[in-house]
Amino acid sequence: MSIETKSSTQGPRARGRARNVALSGARGLALMFISLPGAVVCFCLALVSIALIPIGVGIVTTPWVLSGVRAFADRRRLLAAEWGGVRIPRVYRPLPADANPWARTFGMLRDPATWRDIGWLPVDMTAGFVTALFAFALPLYPLEGFAIAAGLWRVLPDGYWYGFVKVTDQTSALFAAGLGAALLAAALWLTPLVLHAHFRLTGAVLGSGQGELAERVRVLTETRRDAVDTSAAELRRIERDLHDGAQARLVAMGMDLGTIEALLEKDPEKARELLAQARRSSADALTELRDLVRGIHPPVLAERGLGDAVRALALRLPVAVEVDVDLPGRADAPVESAAYFAVSEILTNAVKHSGADRIWIDLHYTEQRLRLSVTDNGKGGASIGAGSGLVGVERRLGTFDGVLAVSSPAGGPTMVTMEIPCALS
């Protein structure tokens, strides 16, 4: 009985390990095509643009180039979290929304995170490329040994070396196959570790290092200030909406009721018209109050949770939307509210600016984090920068230590990913 149980569990484990190795090798190949060309282009453009600052050209180009470098680094942060389980915080200092090119250029250059990005690029094009190459080559190289033993040695040049085995005949080809088998066994263990090492290296360079505590204090100070400012702006909006909307209608309705009292005996027909108008005003005021409450905290969010609230949000959009929700419980009300309004803002941007005709929304919970992604098939070009609605989303998430990553190449698609650390009940 125990022997059968052991053999029955070893099969799925072996297949799972083989799939993991194949997946790690494929990801290593993808990283090879990302690391070297992407890092070289970003590094060269950054150096040239910064060097042109003294003659004025760099003042215009540097913010755009550094934004591209940040987008490249953000993409690697996203891959590190998805493929390697390595989370790299995004701790860029915010820039004023109305900053001119001069302020944006030197604001970005004074940010330590900018120089960490630039310093990471040569590491990524060298050590990063090598680790990605090893992750791809480790499971592939043993196959050459098997092919040599199967007859490939006959067409190879004399004195061909496979590892430390010199292949000259069928016997030495069999030794090459044995070496390939040993290398394949080692690759089953080493390939995922090498891929993980690639992302650990990325995290070590892109991370905030010794200044992590000071950077953390700075980020918390800024997010607290943003939360206070946002709360104050929200209170002003509610007050303005009440004053200009429901309150004005209620005042007008009171005046109509006063007029109706005076006309009941003199002009009953006119009184009935004003009464009907007062009834319509009361219905309009009630509708505005409901809309206002929905803008503060949607009832469907309070009653049915984030998943159903996002589904209801998607139904009101003029484009086709697919929603995939996998949430085993509910987060705290402030977290759900922040996530809901962040998704709402991103969907609004997608409908207004992307030109997309299809949107995909994915919500799931993993590793104590609520993860939300919104993808559209629009024209792309979205970025986190001054004047972008994504800045407000980033600040909203920052209150809860959440992060925002954007992948939006020219021509699309655009993928906006958000993560909020939280616990579900």
Side-chain angles (χ1 to χ4, degrees), residues 223 334-339 395-402 419-422:
T223 55
V335 174
E336 286 191 335
S337 180
R395 290 177 178 174
R396 184 187 293 273
L397 299 178
T399 307
F400 302 92
D401 281 349
E419 285 190 352
I420 306 175
C422 63

Side-chain angles (χ1 to χ4, degrees), residues 178-204:
L179 177 59
L183 292 175
L184 183 60
L188 293 176
W189 295 95
L190 291 177
T191 302
L193 295 179
V194 172
L195 185 68
H196 186 72
H198 172 91
F199 292 119
R200 295 289 294 182
L201 174 65
T202 302

Side-chain angles (χ1 to χ4, degrees), residues 161-390:
W161 287 88
Y162 176 74
F164 56 81
V165 176
K166 186 177 182 180
V167 180
T168 57
D169 53 17
Q170 186 62 49
T171 302
S172 57
L174 292 176
F175 280 114
L179 177 59
L183 292 175
L184 183 60
L188 293 176
W189 295 95
L190 291 177
T191 302
L193 295 179
V194 172
L195 185 68
H196 186 72
H198 172 91
F199 292 119
R200 295 289 294 182
L201 174 65
T202 302
V205 182
L206 282 182
S208 51
Q210 296 181 351
E212 183 173 0
L213 181 59
E215 193 71 20
R216 178 65 175 157
V217 171
R218 183 193 64 78
V219 170
L220 288 176
T221 301
E222 291 180 353
T223 55
R224 183 185 64 181
R225 184 180 65 248
D226 291 339
V228 173
D229 293 343
T230 301
S231 298
E234 189 70 11
L235 288 174
R236 289 193 298 270
R237 182 188 68 82
I238 294 171
E239 181 182 7
R240 184 179 62 253
D241 290 347
L242 285 173
H243 181 273
D244 298 341
Q247 179 178 326
R249 292 187 181 277
L250 291 173
V251 170
M253 186 173 65
M255 296 174 63
D256 289 341
L257 291 175
T259 305
I260 290 170
E261 287 180 349
L263 293 175
L264 278 176
E265 295 181 359
K266 298 178 180 179
D267 191 351
E269 186 66 27
K270 184 64 175 179
R272 279 194 295 269
E273 291 179 6
L274 291 176
L275 190 60
Q277 181 178 337
R279 185 167 57 248
R280 289 193 297 271
S281 296
S282 67
D284 292 340
L286 183 59
T287 300
E288 290 185 359
L289 286 173
R290 286 174 175 169
D291 291 340
L292 182 62
V293 171
R294 188 178 295 111
I296 299 172
H297 193 77
V300 66
L301 179 62
E303 296 169 4
R304 306 190 61 178
L306 181 60
D308 286 338
V310 172
R311 289 191 182 99
L313 190 64
L315 290 175
R316 297 198 295 267
L317 296 179
V319 299
V321 182
E322 293 183 15
V323 182
D324 183 15
V325 178
D326 182 15
L327 300 177
R330 294 192 58 174
D332 293 337
V335 174
E336 286 191 335
S337 180
Y340 173 85
F341 286 108
V343 171
S344 177
E345 177 69 21
I346 292 170
L347 290 176
T348 301
N349 289 344
V351 172
K352 285 184 177 180
H353 307 298
S354 72
D357 58 10
R358 197 165 193 85
I359 299 176
W360 296 265
I361 306 174
D362 179 71
L363 289 79
H364 65 273
Y365 184 78
T366 179
E367 298 179 359
Q368 300 297 309
R369 288 175 177 264
L370 176 64
R371 185 180 179 88
L372 310 94
S373 65
V374 179
T375 306
D376 66 66
N377 62 349
K379 61 184 179 182
S383 64
I384 304 175
S388 169
L390 294 175

